[in-house]
């Protein structure tokens, strides 16, 4: 009976959502549906990620059909975990002797199948947080709350060492939010990221993600400097954000396709893209800090998928090797599955 309880709860929630949608567009504007994530052992995670459906052009969270596979019951989740068992075993074999922690999250954007290996482990996000900053910016632009063409003046408080080209640019130099977004995603510019966070509101961004069930930040984070100090996220949460961006772009290309195009131009292509066939387009964002090295990507295969690999306790060379190795194994498995239509 205990095993049936989550299923009965999901059934009840789905029935309630259907009833609300039947009352008219206003009732269908927002709904909450829990979904289960499949972890690396094939069991379902206790975490539920909220699914917010909206008639607006803003960022949707989730999809109407998410349960780890082709269906939406315990049997389909079990089949999904069985289908992914081979690739999970291969990833565990590849990473068994790695000198540090490796966490993986995968999501098929066509079939909604997913799997994870230590996908709930929280890592220092490093520059992968720029995906969250850009996503929040484009959500505000899509809902008419800000303009991407509005200019922002760079202040000394925005200057930040590390990657990018804007550190130390003369005070008062102005860039459009679109230009800052491109610099942040293509060149991983830290100063551009700070200027965007300062003008959009760090705590507003944190509250936005927390309201959607994304585990990031907290009530004590109010400035870009505080965000960098408490900048931690799990691969699953980062992957869900990328999934949402893709789904938003499918429903409303303007302005989401632009954000994805900037990620495709990213200068860092040695990690997840390093394990893929040459020429396969990838929209990705890497992150590096200390001994933490990550990559978060939408692989634009004919059947696209999200892959997030986060590492800790390795050198940059070691991490790049293992991330590319995981990416290669996932792509081979995904390609074999994509060639065979799912059984019905």
């Amino acid at each position: 009976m205990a095993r049936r309880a989550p299923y009965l709860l999901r059934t009840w929630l789905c029935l309630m959502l259907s009833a609300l949608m039947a009352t008219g567009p206003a009732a269908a504007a927002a709904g909450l549906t829990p979904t289960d994530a499949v972890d690396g052992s094939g069991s379902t995670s206790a975490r539920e990620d909220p699914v917010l459906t909206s008639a607006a052009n803003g960022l949707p969270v989730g999809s109407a059909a998410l349960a780890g596979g082709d269906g939406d019951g315990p049997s389909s989740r079990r089949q999904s975990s069985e289908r992914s068992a081979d690739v999970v075993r291969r990833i565990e074999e590849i990473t068994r002797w790695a000198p540090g922690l490796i966490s993986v999250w995968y999501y098929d954007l066509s079939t909604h199948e997913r799997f994870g290996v230590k996908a709930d482990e929280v890592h220092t996000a490093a520059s992968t947080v720029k995906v969250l900053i850009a996503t929040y910016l484009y959500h505000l632009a899509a809902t008419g709350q800000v303009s991407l063409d509005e200019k922002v003046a760079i202040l000394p408080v925005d200057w930040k060492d590390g990657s990018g080209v804007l550190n130390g640019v003369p005070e008062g130099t102005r860039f459009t939010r679109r230009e800052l977004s491109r610099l942040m995603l293509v060149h991983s510019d830290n100063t551009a990221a700070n200027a965007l966070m300062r003008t959009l509101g760090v705590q507003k961004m944190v509250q936005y993600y927390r309201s959607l069930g994304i585990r990031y930040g907290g009530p004590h984070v109010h400035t870009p400097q505080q965000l960098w100090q408490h900048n931690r996220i799990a691969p699953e949460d980062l992957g869900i954000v990328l999934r949402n961006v893709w789904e938003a772009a499918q429903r409303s290309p303007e302005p989401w396709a632009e954000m994805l195009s900037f990620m495709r131009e990213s200068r860092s292509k040695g990690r997840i893209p390093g394990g893929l066939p040459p020429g396969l387009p990838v929209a990705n964002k890497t992150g590096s800090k200390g001994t933490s090295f990550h990559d978060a990507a939408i692989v634009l295969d004919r059947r696209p998928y999200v892959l997030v690999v986060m590492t800790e306790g390795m050198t940059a060379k070691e991490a790049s090797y293992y991330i590319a190795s995981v990416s290669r194994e996932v792509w081979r498995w995904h390609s074999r599955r994509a060639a065979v239509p799912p059984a019905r």
Side-chain angles (χ1 to χ4, degrees):
M1 184 63 184
R3 289 176 176 269
R4 289 180 55 82
Y7 172 64
L8 293 173
L9 176 60
R10 280 190 294 276
T11 302
W12 179 81
L13 286 169
C14 288
L15 289 172
M16 289 297 292
L17 179 59
S18 298
L20 286 170
M21 292 178 68
T23 63
L32 196 63
T33 305
T35 62
D36 293 321
V38 179
D39 65 22
S41 64
S43 61
T44 56
S45 166
R47 176 171 178 246
E48 296 176 341
D49 69 274
V51 178
L52 179 66
T53 56
S54 173
N57 289 330
L59 178 70
V61 174
S63 167
L66 295 177
D70 302 317
D72 192 22
S75 61
S76 63
R77 285 195 301 277
R78 183 168 57 252
Q79 292 165 7
S80 174
S81 63
E82 290 170 355
R83 286 193 295 265
S84 62
D86 287 344
V87 69
V88 168
R89 277 195 296 269
R90 284 290 299 139
I91 291 171
E92 289 173 341
E93 290 171 3
I94 290 168
T95 61
R96 181 171 296 142
W97 304 112
L101 173 65
I102 300 176
S103 302
V104 181
W105 194 78
Y106 160 96
Y107 186 90
D108 188 316
L109 290 161
S110 299
T111 67
H112 312 298
E113 183 173 359
R114 81 199 73 184
F115 67 78
V117 177
K118 301 177 182 175
D120 259 351
E121 292 279 352
V122 177
H123 295 253
T124 296
S127 283
T128 61
V129 71
K130 291 164 186 170
V131 171
L132 275 69
I133 300 168
T135 300
Y136 182 56
L137 168 64
Y138 279 82
H139 158 68
L140 294 177
T143 53
Q145 300 178 63
V146 301
S147 168
L148 292 170
D149 294 316
E150 182 178 350
K151 290 195 172 183
V152 173
I154 302 297
L155 303 180
V157 71
D158 299 325
W159 295 336
K160 182 173 173 59
D161 292 336
S163 56
V165 296
L166 295 186
N167 186 37
V169 72
E171 178 181 356
T173 305
R174 296 164 65 83
F175 298 89
T176 66
R177 287 197 170 104
R178 175 177 284 109
E179 290 169 335
L180 292 174
S181 177
R182 185 180 185 279
L183 287 167
M184 180 178 67
L185 294 175
V186 177
H187 299 281
S188 199
D189 197 289
N190 291 331
T191 300
N194 280 353
L196 286 171
M197 285 191 285
R198 173 177 56 80
T199 55
L200 297 176
V202 171
Q203 185 54 216
K204 289 180 180 178
M205 183 184 81
V206 168
Q207 289 176 0
Y208 170 71
Y209 284 113
R210 302 287 288 190
S211 73
L212 299 180
I214 301 298
R215 299 164 294 182
Y216 183 78
H220 56 283
V221 178
H222 294 274
T223 67
Q225 290 71 28
Q226 290 172 335
L227 183 138
W228 290 115
Q229 291 171 4
H230 303 281
N231 186 27
R232 296 178 64 77
I233 198 168
E236 180 181 19
D237 292 282
L238 184 53
I240 288 170
V241 173
L242 283 177
R243 179 197 72 188
N244 297 339
V245 171
W246 172 263
E247 292 180 348
Q250 304 315 295
R251 276 191 293 273
S252 179
E254 179 66 31
W256 296 103
E258 180 179 86
M259 177 182 163
L260 289 175
S261 73
F262 290 161
M263 291 182 67
R264 285 185 63 172
E265 295 177 42
S266 168
R267 294 292 190 262
S268 182
K269 297 295 183 184
R271 296 177 188 174
I272 286 176
L276 302 173
L280 184 62
V282 182
N284 73 304
K285 183 69 195 77
T286 59
S288 306
K289 183 179 180 180
T291 62
S292 297
F293 302 94
H294 322 306
D295 202 356
I298 300 175
V299 179
L300 299 167
D301 189 33
R302 63 185 182 87
R303 198 173 86 186
Y305 62 92
V306 173
L307 180 63
V308 179
V309 186
M310 305 186 80
T311 73
E312 190 175 307
M314 303 187 205
T315 66
K317 184 175 180 180
E318 290 168 337
S320 294
Y321 167 79
Y322 280 105
I323 292 173
S325 297
V326 168
S327 175
R328 184 177 302 108
E329 198 61 41
V330 170
W331 182 81
R332 288 171 176 168
W333 173 83
H334 176 89
S335 298
R336 290 194 296 269
R337 285 196 42 73
V340 180
R344 296 291 183 184

